[in-house]
Amino acid sequence: MSTTQEASAGRRARADERVAAVGLWRRLLVKPELGSLIGAVVILAFFSLQSDVFRSLGGVANWLDVASTLGIMAVAVALLMIGGHFDLSAGVMTGTTALTVGIVAVRLDQNIWVAIAAALVLALAVGFLNGWLVTRTGLPSFIITLGTFLMLQGLNLGLTKLFTGTVIVRGIADAPGYHSAELLLASTISVFGQPFRVAIVWWLLATAVASWVLLKTRFGNWVFATGGDEVASRNVGVPAQRTTIVLFMTTAGAAWLVGSISAVRLTSVQANAGTGQELIYIVAAVIGGCLLTGGFGSAIGAALGALVFGMTQQGIVYLNWDADWFYFFLGAMLLLAVLTNRLVRRYAEAARR
Amino acid sequence: MSAAAGDRPDVPLLELRGIGKDFGSVIALDDISTTVRAGQVTCVLGDNGAGKSTLIKVLSGVHRPTRGELLLDGQPVNFGAPREALDAGIATVFQDLAMIPLLAIWRNFFLGSEPTTGWGPFRRFDSAQAKEITRRELGAMGIDIRDPDQPVGTLSGGERQSVAIARAVHFGARVLILDEPTSALGVKQAGVVLRYIAQARDRGLGVVFITHNPHHAHPVGDRFLLLNRGRSMGDFAKGELSREELTAMMAGGDELTELAEELERPTGR
């Protein structure tokens, strides 16, 4: 510990000679969503200048649509990451819930709402199991959810084949109650004569609710604390285990929403739906400022991360570039984000002994 | 709060009677007895491995004692979780684990006991009030924080300990357990923390101050419990022991004298 630090600590009660050190730059730096906001603006400007389809209303509706379902998941995954955990089963879970909706509605001849409710119960049960196993065993969530990921992947294929004889569930549009479900999950809203997918509204809603919960409620404080230092938060009375389990159930719940949206919109579900998406959710959350080590991040940042994804994916298509560039671009964004986040952490822990 | 114990000065706030704790075949603590009174500081001294940490964990509800009795206001108590001890007014400031570094000061201050406003699903963390109270409470302890929104990680070690102490005082702690709050600090910062300990004491709290440094313990302590290898080497009142005796007992007397001679010349102190 330096002598200047000690000297200033002694005088701390009176003079605030270190105020100047906390400048505007550092204040901004500790806002987790800053990086993703800059990234989103840069990418928006870049593709808008290059492609008029991209900046047309139709183009906007298109890339917002891509960003929306991704964003719902990214926001939930961000909460979980802030809480200090990963969920590798999040991607395949969107497939599991979509398949459940399809199989219960088509093969078991139920009302679509019954099917959607069944999928919710299943999702929350798996989420609970993930959280319970992680808190009980103390094993890394990476390993636990890798296990559930593979199990669900197998179940998705096995059960779909068992129920349909193929690897696809079709005919969801014929289920009773379909039209009300379509209205809520898969309709479009017309803005300036351009139809926008209703999923965009769900995405904005999910971001708003997640951000509010994170920043304005007790639970949000517990999420930050559990991810920041689980032992310390338990010591001051934070129900860390309950917080973790609720977060896993939230991710599963988001997967249920996304699964239901895709089942109702596409009216058919592939048995391998959603697989591989889990890493994209994590990348979006990291671009949004979430630290891989937990305890820091933002729901709005994750939503912006998803927006970056949506814009890049569609922008590359509009520019007629090879789709391979998308992954190069993604990797570069991820690296940039991780390096920025590292700076933030170093700053925030600067005075640690 | 602290008035209850103040009315009956004869009954200690917290009393340990023959406390023991085993981990399997290892006897981590055996037959530990001492008292903590309101407005006094009870120091627990011991070298590494003396059982200080185990004792704190018993007092703060992390571990249940295997033997012996814990009395709060003369009534036997049995804590199953840190929350229960906290609710009974026993607050513990753990050495390195008092704060979440990446979390803002005001969020840390109210962590686990967040004030809420609103109703039903709109019940929220009252951040305006939380920031205001944080600033006020820290001010009352003589800690002038620059910005309650800054992450705790940007504070110095002494400041962080002080914030943790202020937090415990605010939440109506009657017994404050401090786990080596000065051990990792420089001389001046340790002095700052010792001053806050004295302030907490003057506000009527019973303080349990765990340390291995007799020079920190002696000036603020009213009672000294010395531990060695899980056993008590004695429980003394302030007048019964000089600083030199305390230091000598801590280090095992002769051993220290030898060590002092061995070290004196090279360091020149």
Side-chain angles (χ1 to χ4, degrees), chain B residues 38-50:
Chain B
Q40 291 199 355
V41 179
T42 299
C43 297
V44 178
L45 290 121
D47 213 340
N48 295 341

Side-chain angles (χ1 to χ4, degrees), chain A residues 1 5-7 9-10 12-16 18-19 22 27 30 212 214-222 224-239 291 293-296 344-345 347-353, chain B residues 62 82-83 86 94-103 106-108 110-114 116 121-125 127 142-147 150-161 167 184-189 192 196:
Chain A
M1 197 163 294
Q5 235 180 336
E6 280 170 19
R12 176 179 7 83
R14 273 135 282 144
D16 266 358
R18 284 183 293 176
V19 164
V22 190
R27 255 168 213 282
V30 295
W212 184 78
L214 201 54
L215 297 175
K216 298 287 178 197
T217 68
R218 305 186 68 180
F219 182 76
N221 213 32
W222 296 345
F224 279 115
T226 309
D229 190 334
E230 196 189 332
V231 179
S233 26
R234 267 209 309 267
N235 284 339
V236 295
V238 172
L291 289 182
T293 41
F296 192 81
V344 172
R345 192 186 176 90
Y347 160 66
E349 299 197 321
R352 276 194 112 176
R353 288 186 297 261
Chain B
V62 177
R83 185 81 246 178
L86 215 53
F94 287 94
Q95 185 182 8
D96 239 356
L97 306 171
M99 297 269 150
I100 317 286
L102 287 165
L103 211 52
W106 64 277
R107 287 184 174 272
N108 259 298
F110 284 96
L111 187 56
S113 316
E114 294 86 352
T116 53
F122 301 105
R123 217 156 65 97
R124 60 192 184 273
F125 187 178
S127 54
I143 310 163
D144 190 8
I145 50 164
R146 300 169 283 281
D147 173 12
Q150 73 185 103
V152 156
T154 60
L155 299 177
S156 69
E159 284 177 310
R160 257 183 284 169
Q161 289 287 347
R167 171 171 75 184
L185 302 181
V187 178
K188 286 219 172 86
Q189 290 220 6
V192 171
Y196 294 134

Side-chain angles (χ1 to χ4, degrees), chain A:
Chain A
M1 197 163 294
S2 73
T3 43
T4 45
Q5 235 180 336
E6 280 170 19
S8 64
R11 275 179 278 129
R12 176 179 7 83
R14 273 135 282 144
D16 266 358
E17 66 275 21
R18 284 183 293 176
V19 164
V22 190
L24 181 69
W25 163 242
R26 298 211 129 183
R27 255 168 213 282
L28 282 178
L29 200 64
V30 295
K31 295 271 179 236
E33 53 278 86
L34 179 75
S36 58
L37 183 63
I38 294 174
V41 169
V42 168
I43 286 164
L44 177 67
F46 175 77
F47 283 116
S48 297
L49 288 174
Q50 302 275 319
S51 154
D52 34 313
V53 190
F54 185 87
R55 60 175 182 264
S56 71
L57 262 186
V60 173
N62 211 328
W63 48 257
L64 279 182
D65 179 33
V66 174
S68 64
T69 45
L70 206 90
I72 294 170
M73 288 309 294
V75 164
V77 166
L79 292 196
L80 183 66
M81 278 181 73
I82 296 168
H85 294 284
F86 294 100
D87 187 354
L88 292 183
S89 67
V92 77
M93 181 70 97
T94 62
T96 304
T97 48
L99 288 166
T100 308
V101 170
I103 288 170
V104 174
V106 177
R107 291 283 133 185
L108 304 181
D109 292 320
Q110 296 296 317
N111 187 292
I112 188 108
W113 289 108
V114 175
I116 289 174
L120 176 63
V121 171
L122 180 74
L124 292 181
V126 176
F128 178 84
L129 184 74
N130 275 337
W132 184 77
L133 282 173
V134 166
T135 54
R136 263 307 155 97
T137 60
L139 288 168
S141 49
F142 200 80
I143 288 299
I144 301 271
T145 58
L146 181 60
T148 43
F149 163 47
L150 294 172
M151 283 165 68
L152 286 178
Q153 196 181 4
L155 275 179
N156 283 2
L157 279 163
L159 287 181
T160 307
K161 278 184 188 162
L162 200 70
F163 274 101
T164 66
T166 62
V167 288
I168 189 163
V169 186
R170 283 200 183 83
I172 295 169
D174 302 330
Y178 175 77
H179 287 288
S180 56
E182 190 190 23
L183 189 70
L184 209 61
L185 299 173
S187 59
T188 55
I189 297 166
S190 194
V191 181
F192 300 120
Q194 169 64 45
F196 282 82
R197 286 284 182 181
V198 75
I200 298 167
V201 176
W202 287 109
W203 171 40
L204 295 177
L205 204 64
T207 310
V209 170
S211 198
W212 184 78
V213 167
L214 201 54
L215 297 175
K216 298 287 178 197
T217 68
R218 305 186 68 180
F219 182 76
N221 213 32
W222 296 345
V223 172
F224 279 115
T226 309
D229 190 334
E230 196 189 332
V231 179
S233 26
R234 267 209 309 267
N235 284 339
V236 295
V238 172
Q241 300 204 342
R242 193 155 38 113
T243 305
T244 304
I245 291 175
V246 169
L247 285 174
F248 273 104
M249 290 174 77
T250 305
T251 315
W256 161 77
L257 180 58
V258 170
S260 302
I261 288 173
S262 75
V264 170
R265 185 196 288 187
L266 304 172
T267 71
S268 67
V269 186
Q270 299 271 358
N272 64 352
T275 310
Q277 293 286 301
E278 58 283 335
L279 291 180
I280 296 188
Y281 306 148
I282 293 173
V283 173
V286 171
I287 290 176
C290 288
L291 289 182
L292 292 162
T293 41
F296 192 81
S298 128
I300 292 173
L304 288 171
L307 187 64
V308 165
F309 252 96
M311 289 194 295
T312 312
Q313 198 176 320
Q314 290 306 303
I316 284 173
V317 172
Y318 290 145
L319 289 185
N320 290 321
W321 287 1
D322 197 306
D324 299 340
W325 288 106
F326 172 64
Y327 286 100
F328 173 82
F329 200 78
L330 227 57
M333 282 296 291
L334 178 65
L335 268 184
L336 197 68
V338 172
L339 292 177
T340 319
N341 293 352
R342 189 167 146 270
L343 265 181
V344 172
R345 192 186 176 90
R346 283 228 313 250
Y347 160 66
E349 299 197 321
R352 276 194 112 176
R353 288 186 297 261

Side-chain angles (χ1 to χ4, degrees), chain B residues 9-266:
Chain B
D10 50 316
V11 180
L13 214 47
L14 189 67
E15 189 175 352
L16 285 71
R17 283 189 193 157
I19 291 285
K21 174 73 191 173
D22 301 345
F23 294 105
S25 60
V26 178
I27 301 167
L29 276 182
D30 196 31
D31 197 21
I32 306 295
S33 302
T34 190
T35 55
V36 182
R37 289 173 190 277
Q40 291 199 355
V41 179
T42 299
C43 297
V44 178
L45 290 121
D47 213 340
N48 295 341
K52 301 191 297 285
S53 300
T54 310
L55 184 63
I56 304 162
K57 285 180 177 158
V58 167
L59 294 181
S60 62
V62 177
H63 294 324
R64 272 179 210 273
T66 316
R67 292 173 295 284
E69 257 190 322
L70 201 58
L71 291 96
L72 188 69
D73 296 322
Q75 301 297 315
V77 283
N78 193 356
F79 302 127
R83 185 81 246 178
E84 289 174 31
L86 215 53
D87 290 342
I90 301 179
T92 309
V93 176
F94 287 94
Q95 185 182 8
D96 239 356
L97 306 171
M99 297 269 150
I100 317 286
L102 287 165
L103 211 52
I105 297 173
W106 64 277
R107 287 184 174 272
N108 259 298
F109 196 92
F110 284 96
L111 187 56
S113 316
E114 294 86 352
T116 53
T117 172
W119 50 271
F122 301 105
R123 217 156 65 97
R124 60 192 184 273
F125 187 178
D126 191 346
S127 54
Q129 199 200 346
K131 283 181 198 177
E132 171 54 31
I133 293 174
T134 305
R135 203 189 291 273
R136 198 176 60 223
E137 282 293 326
L138 293 181
M141 296 281 294
I143 310 163
D144 190 8
I145 50 164
R146 300 169 283 281
D147 173 12
D149 260 318
Q150 73 185 103
V152 156
T154 60
L155 299 177
S156 69
E159 284 177 310
R160 257 183 284 169
Q161 289 287 347
S162 309
V163 172
I165 294 171
R167 171 171 75 184
V169 172
H170 173 74
F171 284 109
R174 303 165 58 213
V175 178
L176 182 62
I177 301 169
L178 303 168
D179 179 15
E180 308 233 8
T182 57
S183 66
L185 302 181
V187 178
K188 286 219 172 86
Q189 290 220 6
V192 171
V193 171
L194 288 178
R195 230 167 275 140
Y196 294 134
I197 293 175
Q199 276 200 25
R201 174 197 68 195
D202 294 343
R203 285 173 78 156
L205 275 81
V207 180
V208 180
F209 174 24
I210 287 104
T211 180
H212 57 245
N213 191 331
H215 300 287
H216 289 163
H218 197 261
V220 289
D222 296 292
R223 257 207 113 66
F224 303 94
L225 170 67
L226 281 90
L227 297 183
N228 188 25
R229 298 173 70 83
R231 285 183 169 71
S232 172
M233 292 163 69
D235 178 27
F236 306 95
K238 187 166 190 127
E240 296 170 19
L241 219 56
S242 74
R243 182 190 304 216
E244 288 67 32
E245 285 172 310
L246 195 63
T247 314
M249 283 191 75
M250 266 282 308
D254 297 340
E255 251 176 73
L256 184 80
T257 323
E258 265 173 46
L259 190 69
E261 280 169 9
E262 191 184 318
L263 296 178
E264 204 141 294
R265 218 161 304 122

